[in-house]
Amino acid sequence: MNFPINSSPHVLPITSVPIIMRHVLYALIPSTIVYVWYFGFGIFINMLIASIAALISEAIMLRIRNRPIKPSLADGSAIVTAILIAFSIPPLAPWWLPVLGASSAIVLAKHLYGGIGANIFNPAMVGYAILLLSFPVQMTHWIPPQIENLGFQNIDLWSTVLYSVTGSLPSNLNLDAITQATPLDIVKGGLKNGISINELRSGPLFSQLGGYGWEWINIFTAFGGVYLLYKGIIRWHIPVSLLTSITIFAALFYLYDPNQNLSPSFHLLSGATVLGAFFIATDPVSAAATNQGRLIYGASIGALTYAIRTWGGYPDGLAFAVLLMNLMVPLIDRFTTPKIYGQQQ
Amino acid sequence: MATATVIFAGIAIVLAILLIVSSHYLSTTENEVIDKIESLLPRIQCAQCGYPGCRPYAAAIVTDKADINLCPPGGNETVRRLAKFLGSDFSPVTKYSTTANLNEIAFISEELCIGCNLCLRACPVDAIVGTHQSMHTVISDHCTGCRLCIPPCPVDCISLVSRNA
Amino acid sequence: MLKYPLFQSFYGGVHLESHKNTSNHKQIARDFLPSRLIIPMNQQFGSDAIPSVKVGQLIQKGEVIGKPAEKNTTAVHASCSGRVGAIEKHPVPTAGKVSTSTCVIIETNDENNIAAQKPPLFKNHLDKLTAINHAGIVGLGGAAFPTAEKLNRKSSHCEMLILNGAECEPYISCDDLLMQEHATEVLRGALAMMEIVGAELTVVVIEKDKPKAIEAISNAIETIGSKCIRLTDIPTMYPTGGERQLVEALTGKEVPSGKYPIDVGCICQNVGTAYALDCFFQLGEPLINRIVTVTGQGVKNPQNVAVPIGAPIVELIKFCGGYDGEVSQLILGGNMMGYTVDTDQLPVTKSTNCIITTKKATTPKPFEIWPCIRCGECIPVCPVRLLPQQILKAYENKNFEELGKLGLSECIECGCCDVVCPSHIPLVENFRKAKHLRMQEIKSSELSNAAQKRYELKTQRLSSQHANTEKLHADLKESIKESSKNDMIKAAVERSKKRRDKK
Ligand code: SF4
Ligand code: SF4
Ligand code: SF4
Ligand code: SF4
């Protein structure tokens, strides 16, 4: 009898890249549901368009780079990138916005650096940053929560689709009338004009904890994150250090002057904080490698996010914080190499 | 506008100073570069590159811009390392006159050796021992397989064998 | 007297799915005797033994058939009475691969099949160690290092004898069964070792997933009543059974790179070795059989068998009911660190602790491999605290300097990183290749360095020789110029005159 020769260990693998990506997608389900509850079905349209665009650009790039197409398309990483981009653009958006975001993420941030595993920057955040810098108007006009008693005009699914495809709304709706800035945006603009936090937060877009609706989206995103932790897909180091550092900074400044600085709960529960902590900063490819390094990485993102939100030019700084820290990863990795067993140092 | 200009000019000046200082302190001398290149060569000293040895060749690469693909024993692997170090383009080794390499060593057939001492003088790395009128032999650990001892032997008693045999 | 917190933990490791219950519910089968034994001469670490019998000779069980080639290696004995059928080269599993070695082939018979002799008597300590070598006793954990040598390594005082019954490999259960059935003998063997090395404490380490073995050992400790044996049950975590990991877990100290556990005051011995030693000391029986776990989905009756050394694997499998359907792989050793062999026509050697027959091929071919996604999963599981992902990258870039810095040579090839990698990269396979390439690279660069050195010396010598000759010539010319020619002529005339006068 002749048996094949294989290299040890002789074990069936316990996980795989597609399994990881699939769990990430599952974990995003709760927050998607809440998102739809508050902002309508627009995000579904964006997710669909972004995913298609991501898959097509992935296939084209793999073809150009002469790599096998099927395994890389099937690993699901392109879809995760697309879904994260859909989360970060307004629910009411023209179709080319998600297309541009997803394809630039895949082409520029992923494949030009050598494909999965070799990208320095988080692709989703590169896509988002490109959109934000190129189309600030479209990217910062969100529809208000689609809840009847809030006093805003609501738009239905059909109008959303129509707007996405044609860029125009039915005649009874006016774009400027139905869109608002995000809560973080409003606070930023308001503080500049000398309005105090208390006054700002009495507006209809705000609730007890943060932006109206946003707090629940963030909380449900955290549920998804806990699922990932439970499944062992991500390790606790990045989310915990990121959230802790944001909380600490926010708390310090809030204690110093509650009228000029947002409360920690507002920082935690608005914008992309939780999504960033569990889903974006934990992207393995562009994060630090060792546990110690990840603590530093997460904490620095938290601090930078707070700094950009408070003193920078953009309402939400998470994307830029992540991209900046991506640059620092090689350095962090270098200084957090564990001491090898039995070697004195 | 004015402030911006001043700030950027300031940054430019500071960076320029940094660059100048670092290039001063971190500069490498030509000799160090030659050392490094030499260490990337196989150092068999076979002279097949057209230079009397590996160091002269390394020096020629630095001073005369000699091609980096002249060393047959090193093969394409060495060219690749050189290209990486020098930041130049890779091109395969052109000369394949002989295939001297570290896996082979010279072997002197002891019955035939007439003790002429010619091979000993040809060996660049002192791998042959012997004296006039008596049998010569190759120290196998020292031999680099450069084949330079083969042509001078008047009775053709030197052959190449595999190093591990 | 307890100086250490006897179990902390070691760094890294993974929890693996256990397969021990495939084979550990049956007693050790003791009636296996094949008609032919192929006894290899290269079973121990170090140089091969030299066959000391002739073809056709009748031999008895326990008789020496291979003499140690050097002082520090072990002898090989006949595992059964019979006739020497041949002495020839035969494929043998050795250290991770199949190679050929001289083997003594014995056609067995049942006559005189009793190895038991008198317990040996020793004049002194050295005598004892030599006797252990002559009894062919080697470490039965897998490396087959001569036991006497290990016990004799005396670079510092040995405080603790670690009796390794951890058995962290998911399929192997031979130590488990041995401890259950022969707890007293194992402990007696350990006491004998402790006496030889002069340790004060023996710690028996067993993973928690072997409750029966733990019970048997703790009962035996009570019966023996020795104060200096302790039992520590440790959490099930691969690879606790590794010597270095055990030392780290038990003492909190690390064995320095390139050193042995004795350098931090510990000696590790496998429970099987202790048992073999006891058999020798009590009955005079040399090491002629060992317990082998035959397991996996591909064999009908998985079980532990006391196998005479040299029994062909194919016979052993037949004894266990034969193959069960199509078998995809034959693994010697555990599924984590064992190796596949392509044929079952190999003998069981002293280091064969387990034979696994799998039905579905495992790593790496049937799986898709993705590029490393830098997920970092491989980092916290590495017991040596390496960065497998960085080593992989350095290997792909053929950056040997970096490989050295990253500690490639410290990798114990445990496979933890491999198991957790979501990209299914065969890391261990790559690291093995990397080690090999790096050794080659180091060797050839040493050669080149030496060649360069001698070349420089030769060039220097030649040029200084050259300069010397030049100088000599110049000096001669100079001196010729200085003394006038006339004087020289006069002197010559003078000399010839003198000679004539003499005549
Ligand atoms: S060809 Fe020979 S002498 Fe020239 S660099 Fe190569 S090994 Fe050295
Ligand atoms: S013995 Fe011959 S082949 Fe070997 S190094 Fe000397 S000259 Fe070269
Ligand atoms: S195989 Fe080597 S690198 Fe991988 S976990 Fe084990 S010791 Fe670490
Ligand atoms: S586990 Fe595999 S994919 Fe993850 S970092 Fe390690 S080598 Fe890369």
Side-chain angles (χ1 to χ4, degrees), chain B residues 36 38 42-43 45 52-53 56 81 84 102 120-126 141-144 163, chain C residues 397-401 441 443-445 447-452 454-459 461-462:
Chain B
K36 178 70 191 170
E38 188 184 10
R43 287 167 287 159
Q45 321 295 351
R81 287 180 198 186
K84 199 170 158 201
L102 283 172
L120 187 141
R121 271 179 257 164
C123 179
V125 294
D126 284 345
D141 279 351
H142 289 186
C143 173
T144 61
R163 180 178 293 275
Chain C
N397 295 337
K398 300 276 175 303
N399 188 340
F400 295 104
E401 210 177 307
E441 176 71 19
K443 236 169 90 187
S444 79
S445 89
L447 199 76
S448 297
N449 285 341
Q452 180 185 359
R454 285 195 310 278
Y455 171 71
E456 277 162 11
L457 285 177
K458 172 156 184 170
T459 336
R461 194 181 65 223
L462 285 184

